[in-house]
Each structure stands twice: as C-alpha cells, then as structure tokens.
Amino acid sequence: MKTFTCQCGNTLHFANSRCVSCGLILGFIPEDTQLSAFTTNQYGNLQASSNGLLYRQCKNYSQYDVCNWMVSVDESEDYCGSCRLNETIPNLDESDNLTLWFRVEQAKRRLLYTLLKLGLPIQSRRQNPNGGLGFSFLKDQTQDQYGNELTIKSFVTTGHANGLITININEADHGTRVDMREKMNERYRTLLGHFRHESGHYYWDRLIANSDRLEEFRKLFGDERLDYVGAMQSYYKNGPNPNWQNVWISAYASMHPWEDWAETWAHYLHMIDTLETANDYDFSVSGNMLANPIPMETNNDQVYTASSFTHLFNDWCQLTKVLNALNRSMGLDDAYPFVISISALDKLRFVHELVIDAKSSA
C-alpha cells in the first residue's frame, strides 16, 4: 500500500478522508488507483487535483462516512465501485454496527486496492448474478431468554459461495476476534485476512476451475473433488494434519485443497501489500532496497515471472524477519507467525504465475 501526496505537499494515507494540513476533502479514484485532494469549482462540483476531472462522493461516504471513494460525475451511480459490490449491509439501527461496518469497509477497500493494482478481473453480481463478486455483512442474532442473559439465536459464518463473500461483522470487534483466535488456537486472525482468504475462493472459480491449470493445481494442492463437508468435520474433530508445517502454509490449509488454495492466495496478498508499503517508504534491509512487488510485465515472459517471484520471496523473508523482531521489541506477537516450507513455496509460485497470466490476459 503506497502513500499519496496532497496538492499542499502533505503525505496522505489510503484511509484518509480529509487532509489534516490544508483541510481539503480527499477521495480515492479507483480507475487511477489514486487518492486525491478535491477542490470545489464555481458550479459546486468536486474537482480532483490529481487529474482535473469532476467527481462526487460515494453515497456511503457522504451519508455514513464509512467510505472515501469517489464516483465520476459522468456516471449515474450513487455508489462507488467498492460499495456497489455490497449485497447486504449491517442493520444500522443497532448502535455499534456503524463502527463495525466502518472497519469492515476499510478492510474490503484495502483488498480491492490490491486486486486493482494486480490487474485482476473483478466482475460484480450485477454483471454476473450467478458468480459475480459480492459482499454480505451480517451479525449473529441474539435473543433475551433468561432475564438479561443473551443467547445466540442464529450464527453467521464467514465464508464464500458462488462469488458472494459473507463476513460476520463481529470479526470487526477487536475483543471478539481475539477471543475467537484463542478458541481456534490460531496465531493470526485479522479482518483483512478474512477478506483476502475468501477472495481466494472467488478467484479459484475465476482463474482455475475451468482453465488449463486445473491439473497443475491438483498436483500441488490436491484434488478439490474430495468431500468438503467430511474434510471439515474431520478437521474440527481431529485437528490439523500433524505434518502440516512441512506441507501447508497454515494449519487450516491442511483441511481441504480449496482451503489450502485460499490460505496460499491470502498469504500472497499479504506479501504484495506489505512489500509495496515497505518499498513506498524506501525500506531496506542490510543495505538492500526492497523492490515494488507489483508485477509490471504483461508479456507473460517465463524468465521475468520466475525471477520476479524469486526477488519477491527473498524480500519477504528479509522483511518479515525485521517485522517480527520489531514486534517482539514492543512486546507484541509476531507480525508474520509462519514458516514457509518448500511445498508452500511452490504453491505461492503457482499463485504468482496465475496473477501475471491474468494481468497479461486483461
């Protein structure tokens, strides 16, 4: 995630909605992947300092302040490209839900930023009702049965089905998420991590399911036709494969080939976003500058693909070593509590190849 610059010269960050230096309204322009300052022209329209074009705030920006993306005045849409993907938003009559929704939207936009930078296809459910990308933000329903004691009436499971990603917004409550992480014996659980993982299931359908890479996928990850429900029941009853550290990128990845893919995909997006941030800050380790990890070539050159992944992974190893050391110095958990085996590395390389192929096709 790169930083941006206001017309006054102040540094801007992706989530900002107003410049703290000059006070101008800020907004993200998705087609330019650019955060820009906006001035109001003589006709009352917002004009971007980055490209001089006219925009208006997304309705979720102007009405609820949970978004900071813009819509071109030439479009008839009320909502930005990110918010148009929403199928269900939280019940805003519940007092805490606006705060939780704000955090959920921040994580979603960060995911979409990376997908846009990678040039990956994003098709809405309006464009493809049966498999387009959509988001449903729901919350466990409770009822008062015994005095003031609340019991769960219905659970919301974070997951993916035919392009629709459902997020339990309780994951945006820090205490609830940490409690769940402890109960699930996980070393890493974040809201952004959920979005990246579930997007992996969407892109499995888009990039692998009906492609000539399916057999290669099965050689690396296993046969996805394995009974998913049975695999899930076995995982939660017996725990992960005892040899998971030597084969899979995480314990959960050992449950089923689909989850192995989604976990690997999420880790690749972790790498891309974090390394882009480090590069934007001119971060170097032992005098070696960390490169921008966003693939630049679109000619599908095999030499470039192989060398770019090697460079990316070497930078990642150096950066995570420093990140973990810094966190320990602050008394925090490791930022990246994973060890990548040779098997997991081959799977990450497969993801990298698919991303470059997808960008070339686009």
Side-chain angles (χ1 to χ4, degrees), residues 60-74:
N60 285 337
Y61 189 175
S62 59
Q63 187 170 355
Y64 298 111
D65 201 25
V66 298
C67 178
N68 70 339
W69 284 27
M70 307 299 286
V71 181
S72 171
V73 294
D74 295 330

Side-chain angles (χ1 to χ4, degrees), residues 149-169:
E149 182 181 354
L150 292 177
T151 58
I152 301 295
K153 182 180 179 181
S154 63
F155 288 96
V156 173
T157 301
T158 292
H160 167 272
N162 299 319
L164 181 63
I165 293 174
T166 299
I167 300 290
N168 186 332
I169 66 168

Side-chain angles (χ1 to χ4, degrees), residues 5 12 52 110 124 154 158-159 214 229-230 235 253 261 280 308 318 325 361:
T5 304
L12 306 176
R110 198 172 188 105
S124 71
S154 63
T158 292
L214 182 57
V229 174
Y235 177 84
W261 158 261
D280 189 65
S308 62
Q318 293 300 310
S361 299

Side-chain angles (χ1 to χ4, degrees), residues 71 75 77 79-87 124 126:
V71 181
E75 295 184 73
E77 302 283 352
Y79 296 97
C80 69
S82 171
C83 291
R84 279 176 231 164
L85 298 175
N86 291 347
E87 295 289 306
S124 71
R126 186 188 304 178

